[in-house]
Amino acid sequence: MSHAIAHILNNDCPHCLEGKVFKEKNIFLNIGFPKMNEYCSHCQFKFEKEPGYFFGAMYVNYGLTVAQGIATYFIAQFFFKETFDLRIIPIIAVVIIAMSSFNIRFSRLLWIYMFKNYSI
């Protein structure tokens, strides 16, 4: 399991673990919508199986965003006197916007790895 997470964070192909899923080598610090390779450069594995394949990755992205928002709230609440201060909302929004590019890439990689063929 730890090897799979390392390969996901390295943007590796789920089939051969050598090619890259996204055209950008680093999935962490990129701005804009991700540019995916259609096929793996090493093994020619097709990443998008069918039209609309990554619609399910939107649910993974939503879960990541909600988890980051909740974690940000629990961390930020220690810096305010009141239980729920309205100044926490912009802090949560900034964190969510800053993490959105990473979340898109990470959720697509998770989606590909969840549905790869493990019998090979």
Side-chain angles (χ1 to χ4, degrees):
M1 182 69 172
S2 64
H3 294 292
I5 293 172
H7 289 296
I8 289 171
L9 293 175
N10 285 331
N11 186 24
D12 293 335
C13 170
H15 190 258
C16 69
L17 304 176
E18 292 186 25
K20 298 297 182 189
V21 176
F22 291 99
K23 292 182 181 179
E24 303 92 8
K25 301 296 182 200
N26 184 358
I27 68 167
F28 297 105
L29 299 173
N30 291 312
I31 304 297
F33 202 74
K35 295 174 184 76
M36 289 186 65
N37 294 319
E38 191 172 342
Y39 294 95
C40 176
S41 61
H42 188 261
C43 68
Q44 300 305 314
F45 179 76
K46 186 173 182 179
F47 296 123
E48 188 171 358
K49 304 290 184 219
E50 59 190 20
Y53 178 71
F54 290 110
F55 283 152
M58 290 189 306
Y59 295 107
V60 176
N61 187 358
Y62 177 74
L64 286 171
T65 303
V66 168
Q68 290 166 353
I70 292 171
T72 304
Y73 168 74
F74 283 121
I75 292 169
Q77 77 174 353
F78 293 115
F79 297 101
F80 297 99
K81 292 179 184 176
E82 297 179 21
T83 305
F84 185 76
D85 195 335
L86 291 177
R87 293 177 289 179
I88 294 176
I89 293 174
I91 295 169
I92 294 171
V94 166
V95 170
I96 288 173
I97 291 169
M99 295 296 293
S100 66
S101 180
F102 169 76
N103 286 346
I104 292 170
R105 288 169 175 81
F106 189 66
S107 64
R108 284 189 175 198
L109 284 166
L110 281 174
W111 193 255
I112 291 172
Y113 271 80
M114 281 193 301
F115 293 107
K116 80 174 196 171
N117 189 0
Y118 286 98
S119 63
I120 297 175

